[in-house]
Amino acid sequence: MQPNKYDAATSTAVCLWCYSQYLKSTSRARDGQTFCSRKCELIGRSWLEDSLTPESE
């Protein structure tokens, strides 16, 4: 049986940042498997970076 070439275009995911469901083929983020848009990717990565930075005294 041949793989369905349309599976990639119709597969969905849930955005890690805003929790909305989206088609993986429509994501504009660099990591389209995790984020629905570039905006969510930038906000999520910025939050993570801020969370990992130690607070100065």
Side-chain angles (χ1 to χ4, degrees), residues 23-52:
L23 288 172
K24 290 181 184 179
S25 61
T26 63
S27 173
R28 295 179 183 256
R30 281 182 287 182
D31 183 358
Q33 303 290 340
T34 308
F35 298 101
C36 67
S37 68
R38 183 83 175 123
K39 179 182 177 183
C40 284
E41 180 183 19
L42 291 174
I43 293 170
R45 291 183 190 276
S46 177
W47 172 84
L48 180 62
E49 188 176 287
D50 289 344
S51 296
L52 296 176

